[in-house]
């Protein structure tokens, strides 16, 4: 994505500005807010002082301005709320929509979101109109289809658009393809039933935005609205924000197209372009990163050439290590990144065994493993002594079932991998629980050797989801680490990243994921290879067999540059005086 930069600012001069002294880029944003009446689109690179800029904007609004700052999630809204001037609101888009629904349907105020609403409505609709398809599987399919149709504002009566939606999000048909159009035709009445249920107070999380975005529920009126993380807006969310604009609010959208990584969940990867077209907003850059040191910026510029290091920024460190040595070398405060969830549980358990406190970011991995345990052990309160063997047998049976069920489906490889990872994680957790019991940490040695389900659950939460791990190691997928930073970041298996996608959109999304991964560290970045020389082997292979995609070529460029940086570090460590002299000669000093 490319958006021309309209604001003309000079690159900051050498010498870091004082904490309370805005940079030229920030001053351009402030002048836009103070001296014009136009909408604005702030392109804020990773670590660019975005929150500080938003607070500065709020302080420069004219007295009496009714302003609302819309954050991506509740924690960000709470952080903003604590720093904004009195009288300036900070909330989420979902909370904004819910408030509008409550005005129309007061019963919504007394209820909690109903995540199973559309599954219940879909099952009732199937039983009434298509009893031959009435099953939980088909109801699940319709409910997921309803979710994505609302998020993308797809017309439910447009069969071709709905079928394309199902394909885009990988929704497998639960019925023979010849009969699928009859099931898809139920989407429109399902959404109508959803509107009726909302009148009695039953809404799910998506309804909170979809209904006020598409129906005239009365919104609060604002003079000024600031939208954070605008690159992650869905078409549905943007439509709700545009209602504020249409009703008189001047808008400032803040985002970074390089960090648009949630298309798989319904975010519109072209949201910033749509903002520019619909509001004719002036584009204002925040291109200097105050988080990343110079070397890390040089790596990230392979994906974001507009990114600049801060004046006076340190060089930073880049080096390579081995995944197998992580448990011995991890330090409190480290952030360990993985492209997928699969390795995180094993690493968390290894760290726990080494006495290093660690936490996996996100509860999903715990929920997935415990749900699998309930399936394998039939809800038993005490698990059998041969629990690990039973998990292995269940893994083989499920793999065979998936192969039969999805033999011709493109989803088969991902489903097989997910199943294998979940079973492997459960086996690891069972072994960890048994070892902890044997050492008397969970229970007395006098009790029978098998675990109870409660002990397994306690071990899972203690090892993987502890909220009290403040100075330990944080393990995260790249997606979940967006918005986080650490002094030292370790990236797992770089030799397997940057692989060509199915199409240009996939490659763009993956490039954004890699950019996010490269911009989390404030001091040191470590690439952890699966085995020694894995990165060099990849680069040698591509030297004789050129990679087929631009994404792979760009990531290879990152790995080559990182390797050169790591070698220069080793040279400086071995021969510091010669290194210093060489640097002085190259700089002409």
């Amino acid at each position: 994505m490319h958006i021309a930069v309209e604001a003309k600012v000079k690159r900051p001069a050498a010498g870091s500005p004082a904490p309370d002294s805005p940079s030229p880029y920030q001053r351009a944003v402030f002048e836009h807010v103070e001296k014009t009446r136009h909408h604005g689109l702030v392109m804020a690179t990773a670590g660019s002082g975005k929150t500080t800029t938003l607070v500065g904007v709020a302080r420069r609004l004219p007295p009496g301005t009714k302003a609302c700052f819309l954050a991506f999630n509740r924690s960000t809204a709470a952080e903003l709320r604590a720093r904004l001037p009195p009288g300036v609101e900070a909330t989420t888009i979902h909370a904004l929509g819910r408030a509008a629904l409550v005005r129309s349907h007061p019963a919504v105020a007394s209820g909690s979101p109903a995540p199973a609403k559309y599954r219940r409505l879909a099952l009732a609709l199937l039983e009434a109109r298509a009893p031959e398809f009435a099953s939980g599987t088909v109801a699940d399919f319709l409910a997921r289809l309803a979710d994505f149709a609302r998020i993308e504002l797809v017309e439910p009566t447009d069969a071709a658009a709905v079928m394309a939606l199902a394909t885009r999000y990988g929704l497998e048909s639960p019925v023979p393809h010849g009969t699928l159009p009859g099931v898809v035709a139920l989407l429109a009445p399902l959404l109508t039933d959803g509107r009726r249920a909302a009148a009695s107070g039953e809404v799910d999380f998506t309804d909170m935005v979809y209904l006020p975005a598409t129906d005239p529920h009365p919104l609060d009126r604002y003079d000024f609205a600031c939208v954070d993380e605008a690159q992650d807006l869905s078409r549905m969310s943007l439509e709700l924000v545009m209602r504020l604009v249409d009703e008189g609010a001047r808008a400032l959208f803040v985002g970074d197209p390089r960090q648009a990584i949630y298309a798989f969940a319904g975010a519109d990867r072209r949201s910033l372009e749509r903002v520019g077209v619909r509001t004719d907003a002036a584009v204002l850059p925040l291109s200097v990163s105050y988080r990343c040191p110079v070397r890390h910026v040089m790596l990230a510029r392979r994906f974001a050439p507009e990114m600049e290091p801060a004046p006076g920024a340190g060089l930073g460190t880049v080096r390579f290590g081995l995944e197998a040595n992580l448990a011995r070398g991890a330090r409190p405060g480290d952030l360990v990144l993985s492209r997928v969830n699969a390795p995180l549980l094993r690493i968390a358990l290894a760290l726990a065994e080494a006495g290093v406190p660690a936490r996996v970011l996100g509860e999903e991995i715990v929920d997935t493993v415990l749900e699998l345990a309930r399936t394998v052990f039939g809800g038993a309160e005490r698990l059998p002594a041969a629990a690990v063997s039973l998990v292995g047998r269940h893994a083989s049976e499920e793999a065979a079932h998936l192969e039969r069920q999805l033999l011709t489906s493109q989803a088969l490889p991902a489903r097989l991998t997910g199943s294998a990872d979940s079973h492997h994680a459960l086996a690891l957790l069972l072994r960890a629980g048994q070892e902890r019991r044997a050492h008397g940490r969970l229970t007395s040695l006098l009790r029978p050797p098998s675990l109870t389900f409660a002990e397994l659950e306690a071990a899972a939460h203690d090892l993987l989801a502890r909220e009290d791990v403040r100075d330990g190691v944080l393990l995260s997928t790249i997606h979940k680490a967006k918005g986080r930073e650490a002094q030292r970041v370790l990236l797992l298996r770089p030799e397997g990243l940057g692989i060509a996608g199915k199409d240009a959109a996939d490659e763009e999304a993956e490039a954004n994921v890699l950019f996010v991964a490269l911009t989390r560290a404030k001091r040191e970045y470590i690439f952890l290879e699966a085995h020694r020389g894995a990165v060099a082997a990849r680069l040698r292979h591509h030297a004789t067999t050129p990679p087929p995609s631009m994404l792979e070529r760009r990531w290879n460029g990152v790995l080559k540059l990182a390797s050169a940086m790591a070698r220069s570090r080793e040279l400086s460590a071995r021969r510091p005086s010669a290194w210093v002299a060489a640097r002085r000669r190259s700089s002409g000093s």
Side-chain angles (χ1 to χ4, degrees):
M1 170 181 174
H2 176 72
I3 297 179
V5 175
E6 298 176 9
K8 303 298 184 183
V9 294
K10 295 180 180 179
R11 178 173 174 146
S16 298
D20 58 349
S21 175
S23 72
Y25 291 120
Q26 289 172 318
R27 284 199 295 270
V29 175
F30 299 153
E31 287 175 8
H32 169 83
V33 171
E34 290 176 308
K35 298 181 180 181
T36 80
R37 297 300 303 163
H38 299 303
H39 304 296
L41 175 54
V42 179
M43 309 294 274
T45 196
S48 59
K50 181 181 64 174
T51 302
T52 299
T53 304
L54 297 185
V55 173
V57 165
R59 289 174 178 165
R60 287 165 172 81
L61 293 174
T65 300
K66 186 176 182 183
C68 178
F69 282 63
L70 297 172
F72 191 62
N73 54 46
R74 285 182 294 178
S75 61
T76 306
E79 178 189 352
L80 264 175
R81 197 176 300 121
R83 296 179 59 181
L84 289 173
V88 177
E89 298 178 28
T91 187
T92 64
I93 291 177
H94 280 82
L96 176 76
R98 183 179 183 275
L101 280 179
V102 168
R103 292 187 188 93
S104 298
H105 307 311
V108 171
S110 58
S112 299
K117 169 186 173 177
Y118 281 85
R119 186 184 190 278
R120 179 187 66 77
L121 292 174
L123 194 56
L125 192 63
L126 287 164
E127 290 170 348
R129 298 197 185 187
E132 68 275 20
F133 297 131
S135 70
T137 303
V138 180
D140 285 337
F141 172 82
L142 269 174
R144 293 189 66 199
L145 198 58
D147 204 37
F148 287 119
R150 286 177 290 159
I151 289 171
E152 290 215 3
L153 298 182
V154 169
E155 171 53 53
T157 59
D158 185 342
V162 173
M163 296 289 278
L165 186 73
T167 300
R168 186 158 61 252
Y169 288 102
L171 304 184
E172 290 290 330
S173 173
V175 298
H177 279 277
T179 58
L180 183 58
V183 172
V184 168
L186 296 175
L187 178 60
L190 176 59
L191 294 184
T192 299
D193 290 348
R195 279 187 162 85
R196 292 196 190 100
S200 61
E202 186 183 13
V203 296
D204 69 356
F205 202 57
T206 305
D207 274 343
M208 294 180 187
V209 179
Y210 174 72
L211 295 177
T214 56
D215 294 335
H217 300 284
L219 286 171
D220 271 328
R221 288 182 177 270
Y222 294 96
D223 303 310
F224 182 88
C226 181
V227 184
D228 192 15
E229 301 287 5
Q231 79 279 350
D232 292 327
L233 290 173
S234 65
R235 294 197 183 194
M236 172 186 75
S237 299
L238 177 58
E239 204 61 40
L240 181 58
V241 173
M242 288 306 301
R243 280 199 60 196
L244 293 180
V245 173
D246 293 340
E247 294 178 10
R250 182 160 70 115
L252 186 72
F253 295 85
V254 184
D256 181 5
R258 313 291 187 186
Q259 298 187 69
I261 61 174
Y262 292 117
F264 69 93
D268 180 7
R269 63 190 183 90
R270 300 298 183 202
S271 67
L272 296 181
E273 289 183 3
R274 296 186 200 281
V275 165
V277 170
R278 296 186 66 174
T279 65
D280 194 27
V283 180
L284 304 148
L286 282 182
S287 301
V288 174
S289 177
Y290 295 94
R291 173 194 300 151
C292 301
V294 173
R295 285 177 174 141
H296 302 181
V297 171
M298 291 171 65
L299 296 177
R301 279 171 62 88
R302 292 283 179 168
F303 299 101
E306 71 281 358
M307 190 179 190
E308 304 173 16
L315 279 177
T317 301
V318 176
R319 63 187 181 90
F320 285 76
L322 291 177
E323 183 181 329
N325 296 336
L326 176 57
R328 295 197 301 273
R331 304 173 189 167
D334 283 352
L335 174 61
V336 179
L337 299 180
S338 173
R339 181 64 184 83
V340 294
N341 267 317
L344 298 180
L345 176 63
R346 173 178 47 77
I347 291 171
L349 296 176
L351 288 169
E353 186 178 3
V356 179
R359 179 167 71 94
V360 178
L361 188 61
E363 291 278 348
E364 307 92 87
I365 191 169
V366 173
D367 295 340
T368 299
V369 172
L370 293 178
E371 185 59 36
L372 176 61
R374 293 185 185 94
T375 301
V376 173
F377 304 120
E381 292 185 8
R382 181 169 294 281
L383 310 184
V388 175
S389 298
L390 286 176
V391 170
R393 190 181 312 154
H394 190 273
S396 300
E397 292 171 354
E398 184 165 293
H401 172 73
L402 288 172
E403 288 172 350
R404 289 193 301 270
Q405 183 185 41
L406 304 173
L407 184 60
T408 60
S409 170
Q410 293 182 348
L412 178 59
R415 292 287 297 277
L416 286 173
T417 299
S419 174
D421 288 345
S422 297
H423 284 85
H424 181 57
L426 177 56
L428 286 172
L429 197 58
L430 285 165
R431 291 192 183 99
Q434 290 167 349
E435 290 174 6
R436 295 181 82 197
R437 168 185 273 275
H439 286 85
R441 292 175 186 164
L442 285 177
T443 188
S444 167
L445 289 171
L446 298 177
R447 294 185 185 177
S450 61
L451 289 174
T452 66
F453 188 87
E455 288 171 339
L456 176 68
E457 188 172 22
H461 284 282
D462 187 44
L463 290 172
L464 304 176
R466 288 175 55 189
E467 292 297 330
D468 60 342
V469 175
R470 293 290 179 267
D471 298 320
V473 175
L474 184 63
L475 306 163
S476 175
T477 62
I478 298 170
H479 279 87
K480 290 191 179 66
K482 183 170 169 289
R484 291 180 177 268
E485 60 183 27
Q487 292 292 330
R488 196 167 81 142
V489 171
L490 304 94
L491 178 65
L492 295 175
R493 304 180 186 181
E495 68 277 3
L497 301 180
I499 305 302
K502 297 191 294 292
D503 52 35
D506 275 353
E507 292 214 354
E508 180 183 339
E510 191 63 22
N512 291 346
V513 171
L514 296 175
F515 174 75
V516 169
L518 291 171
T519 54
R520 301 303 98 195
K522 300 169 70 174
R523 181 175 52 82
E524 185 173 12
Y525 207 96
I526 304 174
F527 294 87
L528 290 180
E529 301 172 285
H531 57 85
R532 193 176 303 279
V535 166
R538 169 183 170 139
L539 295 177
R540 283 196 303 270
H541 171 71
H542 283 163
T544 57
T545 307
S549 73
M550 177 61 73
L551 174 65
E552 289 179 90
R553 292 194 289 273
R554 290 160 82 186
W555 186 244
N556 285 351
V558 168
L559 296 178
K560 287 178 184 177
L561 184 56
S563 299
M565 291 174 178
R567 286 194 298 271
S568 71
R569 177 181 178 274
E570 293 171 3
L571 175 62
S572 66
R574 290 196 297 267
R575 299 166 58 187
S577 58
W579 175 248
V580 170
R583 286 196 64 198
R584 286 176 177 169
R585 285 196 299 273
S586 66
S587 64
S589 59

